[in-house]
Amino acid sequence: MVESVNPATGETVESYEDHTEEEALDALDAAVDTFEEWRETTFAHRQSLLENAADVLRERQDEYAELMTREMGKPIEQARAEIEKCAWVCEYYAETAESHLAEEQLSVGPTDSAVVRYEPLGPVLAVMPWNFPFWQVFRFAAPNLAAGNVGLLKHSSNSPGSGQAIEEVFREAGFPEGAFQNLFVGSEVASTLIADDRLRAVTLTGSVGAGQAVAEQAGANLKKTVLELGGSDPFVVLDDAPVEETAAKAAHARLQNGGQSCIAAKRFIVHTDVYDEFVDAFVEEMDSWTVGDPLEEETQVGPQADAELMEELHDQVQRTLDEGAEALLGGEPLDREGAYYPPTVLTNVPRDAAAACEETFGPVAAVFEVESEDEAAELANDSEFGLGASVWTGDPAGRGRAFAKRFEAGCCFVNEYVKSDPRVPFGGVKDSGYGRELSKAGIREFVNRKTLWVNHDLTEGSE
C-alpha cells in the first residue's frame, strides 16, 4: 500500500494499493494500443481535448488544491495558483502545438527538396516529484499528448492522490483510456518498464541520484531521457540594486512553496556596498511571512513535506552553523505539531559549508558578501548545479544582461526571480540535468525529427 500522509498533522489522507508488475505491463500494453490510434488524430482534435482538460482543472480547482495541500503541505492559495498554471499550459499547447511541430522546409538544391517532420515516439514514462504535484506532471503531459505521444506516470509516494486525480482529469476531458495512466509502482517496476522495448522515452524530475539511476537504465536500453534535477540557484545583488524592492523579491524567491523548489533562490550573493542594508531588509521580509496551517488562507509558509525531509534540512543548518555561520533568523524546527521549519537566514557562511555546497530544500537562505562583480560571478558558478540564476541591478538592460550571460545555468533572469513559464524553455546544465521542457523546445524533445528528401529530377530509364 502507498499511504498519503498530511505533513501538517501526521494523519493519513488516503491509502492506495500498489500496482503489480503485471498490471504495469498491462498498462504499457494499453498505452501501445492507444498510441497507434492517437498518433493519427488531428491537432484540432488534440487541441479540443486539451482545452477540455483546462476546463476540468478550473471547475475542480478548489478540490485539487486542497488535495495537494493535504498531501504535501502547500499553502492553499499557492495550490490554487498551481492548478491555474496547469490549465494555462494545457491552453498554451492547444494553441501552439501545430505550429511548433510544423514541417520545416530545407534548401537542398534546385532539383531536390527536403523537409524535417516531427513525429511522436510512443509511450513515455514520467517519474515525477511531490513538490509541485500537479504542475510537474502537466508540463510533461500537455506537450507530449499534444505531440501525439502517450504517457505513463510514476508519481512520488508523497503525492499518490495527485497522480490519480491527474489521470481522472484527462479521462474526464475525453482523452482515450490508454493515453495517460497513473501507476502506483516503485523503482523496481519502473526499471522493468524502462527495459521494455515498447517504452520509447523517460523523463524525470527529482534528485541527482534518482536522475543518475534512471539515465543509467535508460542509456543501457537506448532510451531518450530528459532530466530536471536539483538546483542551488544564486541570487546576485549588485551594488546599484534597489535594496528594499530586491529584498522583498528575495524573500519570495526563497520561501515560495515552503522553499521546496529546485529553482528557489538558495545562495544570496550580495555586493559589499549594499550588503548590510540588504541583510537587514531581507531578514525583515523573511520574518514577515506567515507560517501556519496550509489550509488557512493567510498562511504563506506551510510544513515541510514530511518530518524526515525537515530533519535533513535542519542537519544542513546545524552543520553550517558548526562550521562558523550565524543564524540571524530561525535555525530550529518550530515547537508545534507537524513538520514545520521557520524562515531562516544564515550569514557569514563558509564557502565550503553545507548550505553553500548542498541543495537546501526548505526555507533556509545562505547569504554571502562579495567585493566585486567578478567575485560574484565566480561564487555564483561555484556549484555542481546549474538550473536557475538571477541578478539584480538598477541597470537591467545593460549591466544586468551582461552579468546574466556569465551564469552557468539554464534559466537566467534579470530583476526577476527564476520561474517556469510555458512560453520559454526550462531546464539546466551540470548536475541539474539536461534536455528542456516547455515552449517549442519542450514539445520537440520526444519526437522523431524525420528527414524526408525527394529527388524531383530522376526520370524512368535515365542513367
Side-chain angles (χ1 to χ4, degrees), residues 333-353:
L334 294 179
D335 184 16
R336 58 176 294 171
E337 182 182 32
Y340 284 90
Y341 206 86
T344 296
V345 178
L346 306 178
T347 58
N348 299 319
V349 177
R351 297 188 183 183
D352 59 352

Side-chain angles (χ1 to χ4, degrees), residues 63 99 277 337 377 422 429:
E63 174 189 342
S99 61
E277 184 183 359
E337 182 182 32
V429 295

Side-chain angles (χ1 to χ4, degrees), residues 56-299:
V56 173
L57 285 164
R58 291 195 175 105
E59 288 166 5
R60 301 176 67 177
Q61 183 181 43
D62 289 341
E63 174 189 342
Y64 294 145
E66 184 172 327
L67 170 63
M68 76 171 84
T69 294
R70 292 190 183 280
E71 286 201 315
M72 54 72 61
K74 187 186 303 289
I76 190 66
E77 183 180 357
Q78 296 173 31
R80 293 194 195 100
E82 182 169 332
I83 298 300
E84 174 58 33
K85 193 171 184 179
C86 293
W88 179 25
V89 79
C90 289
E91 291 174 337
Y92 172 81
Y93 281 109
E95 295 169 2
T96 63
E98 186 169 10
S99 61
H100 285 341
L101 298 176
E103 287 188 358
E104 293 183 358
Q105 300 287 333
L106 304 178
S107 177
V108 291
T111 62
D112 296 63
S113 66
V115 298
V116 176
R117 291 177 51 80
Y118 297 93
E119 300 180 353
L121 290 181
V124 182
L125 174 65
V127 182
M128 292 290 124
W130 50 263
N131 57 331
F132 291 91
F134 272 69
W135 168 245
Q136 304 277 15
V137 178
F138 272 90
R139 77 182 190 194
F140 149 75
N144 278 282
L145 291 170
N149 291 318
V150 294
L152 298 164
L153 172 64
K154 178 198 175 310
H155 215 319
S156 166
S157 59
N158 286 42
S159 48
S162 294
Q164 180 170 283
I166 292 166
E167 178 181 313
E168 292 169 356
V169 169
F170 288 117
R171 294 275 185 90
E172 190 170 332
F175 285 83
E177 187 171 334
F180 186 91
Q181 300 172 82
N182 176 62
L183 298 175
F184 299 119
V185 297
S187 299
E188 186 174 337
V189 175
S191 296
T192 299
L193 293 174
I194 293 171
D196 194 298
D197 289 342
R198 297 170 298 168
L199 189 83
R200 304 307 303 273
V202 188
T203 182
L204 176 142
T205 297
S207 68
V208 174
Q212 289 170 330
V214 165
E216 182 177 2
Q217 296 163 13
N221 291 279
L222 298 179
K223 304 287 174 70
K224 175 71 183 291
T225 53
V226 168
L227 304 179
E228 193 260 281
L229 309 179
S232 186
D233 287 9
F235 184 108
V236 176
V237 183
L238 299 182
D239 57 352
D240 64 344
V243 172
E244 293 293 333
E245 296 89 337
T246 300
K249 290 281 191 176
H252 193 282
R254 176 63 278 198
L255 296 179
Q256 178 77 357
N257 203 46
Q260 299 168 117
S261 170
C262 295
I263 54 172
K266 300 182 176 82
R267 296 178 297 132
F268 295 81
I269 300 167
V270 186
H271 193 281
T272 188
D273 287 356
V274 293
Y275 178 83
D276 290 339
E277 184 183 359
F278 174 83
V279 168
D280 289 344
F282 184 44
V283 169
E284 184 176 350
E285 289 286 348
M286 292 278 283
D287 195 33
S288 72
W289 280 54
T290 301
V291 180
D293 182 346
L295 288 170
E296 296 293 334
E297 295 292 338
E298 65 272 15
T299 294

